[in-house]
Amino acid sequence: MPDAFADHLNDTPPAGNTLAAYTTLRLGGPAGTLTTAVHADEAIAVVRAASAAGRPVLVLAGGSNVVIGDAGFPGEVLLLRTRGIRVVGEDPAAVVVRAAAGETWDDFVAYAVTNGLSGVECLSGIPGSAGATPIQNVGAYGQEVAHTIVAVHAYDRIAGEVREMSPAECGFGYRASVFKHNDRYLVLDVDFRLEKSGESAPIKYAELARSLGAEAGDRVPLALARDTVLKLRAGKGMVLDPEDRDTWSVGSFFTNPVVTEEVFAALGEMPHWPAGDGMVKLPAAWLIERAGFPKGFAGEGVAISGKHTLALTNRGAGSTAALLDLARVIRDGVRERFGVELHPEPVLINCAI
């Protein structure tokens, strides 16, 4: 299987240093310094120099899972624009494909599907970069990147060297990893082990199975799985569209809360999933709606998406302060109604709820 390197290594950002231009929310104030890196060595040099000078660094690639305060970020902002997808290992059943951290995630998924590689097809349409996926342990429709990642190559700012980190060292959890809320590591490349197959991994997610006319555990053609996921996501405003304000978001703003079985028993009947070790996962969207916050519930220039209750959106004239005010109202309302705490999924930069 041939290597496939992107032909856009010299992508440059638009003029100006207002960080709203680099996030899917289209919110965020100015950067102290804004630097673009198209090669890993450039990115390492920027981070190393900033660390030596004692200056904080914020790394942005797709900007799809970050909320930046209206005051911006006073330090060094590194725009990671590295590109590249290539096969680095192969056996009769699978290949290991390395994606540069700045590679657009959905382009990587499209590459896998086109080349008959199974394992990430249900993660189609997720915005952002390949390098961001291990940070968040991105997941959707029954798949997580932790299922296929075999190594993350990262610059360790403390050791001053590039490390190859195993899945165990990455510390993957539900929307979590050792990289999240931790500026020690700069992710450079991610290695995925993908099955050589024209069919999807076994379908696990009930909504996707229904849309496919399949049963849980069935496998379907890769292209069909990808197309169906893209349609499902688009219907929820979860595929970026500059003309659709419902997509001006970070996707799901809150994670699904996980509670003990004792807490769940006291809540009464509601949708839920087993989370292992005596824990139960609850649907945040269901809790939000039942607490009195329907789709379209609005704040000042911001609102819950008209398509998906978990997405908080900038309607075009919003601010980060207004978005976080809306998030607090929702969080507090759910706590008052159910006694369950919601936690934000995106990384909050120079702001808090």
Side-chain angles (χ1 to χ4, degrees):
M1 190 172 297
D3 291 355
F5 284 97
D7 59 3
H8 43 272
L9 291 177
N10 293 313
D11 284 358
T12 55
N17 71 342
T18 300
L19 295 174
Y22 308 106
T23 70
T24 55
L25 266 171
R26 293 165 169 79
L27 296 175
T33 305
L34 194 64
T35 304
T36 301
V38 298
H39 300 292
D41 288 348
E42 295 172 338
I44 291 171
V46 169
V47 170
R48 184 182 286 132
S51 297
R55 301 179 64 217
V57 180
L58 170 63
V59 179
L60 285 179
S64 62
N65 196 53
V66 62
V67 180
I68 300 175
D70 295 314
F73 184 79
E76 177 81 48
V77 176
L78 171 63
L79 297 176
L80 197 59
R81 298 294 185 259
T82 56
R83 297 288 191 269
I85 302 171
R86 61 192 177 103
V87 173
V88 296
E90 187 169 2
D91 61 37
V95 297
V96 176
V97 185
R98 180 168 298 165
E103 188 66 48
T104 301
W105 171 252
D106 196 54
D107 288 352
F108 176 76
V109 178
Y111 166 89
V113 170
T114 299
N115 286 279
L117 300 175
S118 175
V120 293
E121 57 283 344
C122 293
L123 303 177
S124 293
I126 294 176
S129 68
T133 61
I135 296 172
Q136 185 75 2
N137 186 17
V138 164
Y141 295 104
Q143 289 183 346
E144 290 182 342
V145 292
H147 298 157
T148 53
I149 288 176
V150 292
V152 173
H153 304 265
Y155 174 68
D156 184 336
R157 301 180 199 189
I158 294 178
E161 63 184 16
V162 175
R163 292 180 54 190
E164 179 178 318
M165 301 176 67
S166 68
E169 291 173 307
C170 293
F172 292 125
Y174 172 56
R175 303 298 174 266
S177 73
V178 71
F179 308 108
K180 192 171 183 179
H181 306 304
N182 179 359
D183 64 0
R184 175 173 178 173
Y185 301 104
L186 169 65
V187 176
L188 302 171
D189 299 284
V190 186
D191 292 352
F192 299 86
R193 187 179 189 275
L194 304 176
E195 181 185 354
K196 294 178 181 177
S197 174
E199 293 192 324
S200 69
I203 301 298
K204 298 179 180 179
Y205 200 78
E207 180 188 18
L208 178 57
R210 287 194 300 270
S211 297
L212 289 165
E215 300 291 333
D218 287 353
R219 300 176 66 134
V220 301
L222 287 176
L224 177 60
R226 173 170 166 77
D227 290 347
T228 304
V229 167
L230 287 172
K231 289 174 183 175
L232 286 171
R233 290 186 63 85
K236 299 174 182 178
M238 295 292 186
V239 176
L240 293 180
D241 179 350
E243 303 303 318
D244 183 357
R245 302 294 171 87
D246 277 335
T247 73
W248 292 22
S249 76
V250 291
S252 298
F253 191 90
F254 295 106
T255 57
N256 291 320
V258 177
V259 301
T260 65
E261 291 178 346
E262 290 76 16
V263 168
F264 172 70
L267 289 172
E269 284 297 318
M270 67 173 63
H272 63 281
W273 306 275
D277 297 325
M279 306 298 285
V280 179
K281 185 184 295 183
L282 308 177
W286 190 94
L287 295 170
I288 291 168
E289 291 174 352
R290 293 335 186 263
F293 306 106
K295 297 181 182 71
F297 183 89
E300 186 175 347
V302 298
I304 294 176
S305 166
K307 299 182 179 72
H308 197 290
T309 311
L310 276 181
L312 305 189
T313 66
N314 171 19
R315 308 314 294 182
S319 65
T320 300
L323 186 88
L324 296 178
D325 282 344
L326 176 60
R328 292 185 196 99
V329 168
I330 294 168
R331 178 199 62 191
D332 294 349
V334 169
R335 183 197 297 130
E336 182 178 350
R337 171 68 177 81
F338 294 102
V340 173
E341 190 77 16
L342 294 181
H343 297 282
E345 184 167 321
V347 177
L348 307 182
I349 302 296
N350 205 13
C351 60
I353 66 168

